[in-house]
Amino acid sequence: MLLIFFGNCLAGYAGNDNFPLGARSAGMASASVTLTDIWASANNQAGLGYLEKPVAAIYYENRLNVRGLALQAGAFAIPIHSTVVGVNYRYFGYSKYNESKFGLAVAKKLGEKFAIGVQMNYFHTYFAGDYGNVGSLNGEIGLMYEPVENLIIGAHLFNVTQSRQKVNLDERTPTIMRFGIGYRIMDRAIISFETEKNLRMDAVFKGGLEYNLLDDLFLRCGVSTGNLYQYAFGLGYGWKWITIDIAFGHHKFFGYSPHISLSAKF
């Protein structure tokens, strides 16, 4: 029974899904489609358009406290004139089964209220034994709009082309749509609400809060109707050009799973 349960977990959280990245996002229960940081390279590429300096970051998630479900990622973005170019890499799994994703993103602000971002991805999936390897390409697009001051609307579509993982099988990488709103409160807090719809699953609803307790210290919390983490909390601290974020997501069977990310601005 335990092996079946672990197998279901791997199947449910694999399949080249578009995992949200960054401990900041994790601390807000992944309600991150309106956030403008380096991890927008996975959460909503339009958010990269707000970056004003080169940024590099790394991320680790001990998912469900199961070593075989660990998630690791890295990202780098650099503004070039009025355009931001970014690359990111993600690895999920273990020696018998793993997924890698490499993405190349381009984002741009169009005026003061609108931003757009696109990304091309290459996925590689490894199966041990006689199953072989599978590679595929797909794309993402994200939008952000600020209709009034401090209110941000974000939308993101992953796997625009509904690409297949294997040409001769109808094994498609999931197509995932996200839509949310975020509101900044007196430059001290951000509150976010978001819905996510995988075309093969029920919609998930999320809500998150980030509060700037001190100049460089941020507290975060969030709730979700998803099956992975029902609620989460975390904090972030910035020192000069380095920021560290940690978070914990709670699963009803496995308890708390830690997330940590480190970013540096140049």
Side-chain angles (χ1 to χ4, degrees):
M1 290 297 294
L2 184 61
L3 291 176
I4 294 174
F5 183 71
F6 275 96
N8 288 336
C9 286
L10 183 59
Y13 307 129
N16 286 325
D17 283 348
N18 190 43
F19 302 127
L21 299 182
R24 183 189 184 198
S25 169
M28 299 173 69
S30 300
S32 52
V33 76
T34 61
L35 298 183
T36 57
D37 58 18
I38 180 61
W39 296 114
S41 57
N43 304 328
N44 182 355
Q45 288 74 28
L48 292 176
Y50 293 84
L51 299 182
E52 299 178 348
K53 297 179 180 179
V55 185
I58 55 175
Y59 171 64
Y60 180 79
E61 174 185 347
N62 188 9
R63 176 164 293 198
L64 304 181
N65 287 310
V66 179
R67 187 172 182 180
L69 301 180
L71 181 65
Q72 306 163 61
F76 175 75
I78 182 170
I80 302 176
H81 300 297
S82 60
T83 301
V84 179
V85 178
V87 293
N88 56 86
Y89 176 78
R90 185 206 76 198
Y91 177 90
F92 169 82
Y94 65 113
S95 59
K96 301 298 184 181
Y97 174 88
N98 57 71
E99 302 172 3
S100 299
K101 172 191 174 185
F102 176 80
L104 175 62
V106 178
K108 185 178 181 65
K109 283 188 68 177
L110 304 175
E112 294 297 321
K113 296 183 177 295
F114 188 78
I116 185 171
V118 295
Q119 179 165 294
M120 286 299 300
N121 301 313
Y122 175 74
F123 281 97
H124 180 266
T125 306
Y126 170 78
F127 299 89
D130 299 328
Y131 293 99
N133 303 320
V134 178
S136 63
L137 294 170
N138 69 28
E140 306 176 46
I141 184 170
L143 303 172
M144 284 190 182
Y145 176 58
E146 188 173 1
V148 297
E149 187 176 4
N150 295 324
L151 177 67
I152 298 178
I153 298 173
H156 181 254
L157 178 60
F158 170 75
N159 191 17
V160 177
T161 58
Q162 293 191 297
S163 301
R164 298 182 181 185
Q165 296 182 33
K166 205 166 186 177
V167 175
N168 61 340
L169 294 175
D170 191 22
E171 297 180 8
R172 298 184 184 275
T173 301
T175 295
I176 302 172
M177 300 175 290
R178 300 171 67 199
F179 177 83
I181 58 173
Y183 187 74
R184 293 188 295 265
I185 305 173
M186 299 176 61
D187 293 327
R188 299 292 293 183
I190 298 174
I191 185 168
S192 299
F193 298 98
E194 178 180 321
T195 181
E196 175 183 311
K197 181 66 173 76
N198 183 324
L199 294 186
R200 301 183 302 187
M201 298 181 177
D202 294 334
V204 173
F205 299 94
K206 313 170 191 176
L209 172 67
E210 177 181 77
Y211 179 66
N212 185 194
L213 181 63
L214 301 172
D215 288 343
D216 299 314
L217 179 64
F218 296 83
L219 303 181
R220 305 179 182 111
C221 62
V223 295
S224 171
T225 63
N227 293 322
L228 185 53
Y229 302 129
Q230 285 75 43
Y231 60 87
F233 61 92
L235 59 86
Y237 180 76
W239 182 74
K240 294 185 177 179
W241 46 277
I242 294 178
T243 300
I244 184 169
D245 298 294
I246 62 173
F248 295 88
H250 183 265
H251 186 277
K252 59 183 177 181
F253 295 119
F254 286 89
Y256 292 96
S257 301
H259 311 244
I260 184 170
S261 58
L262 180 70
S263 63
K265 294 181 180 180
F266 301 98

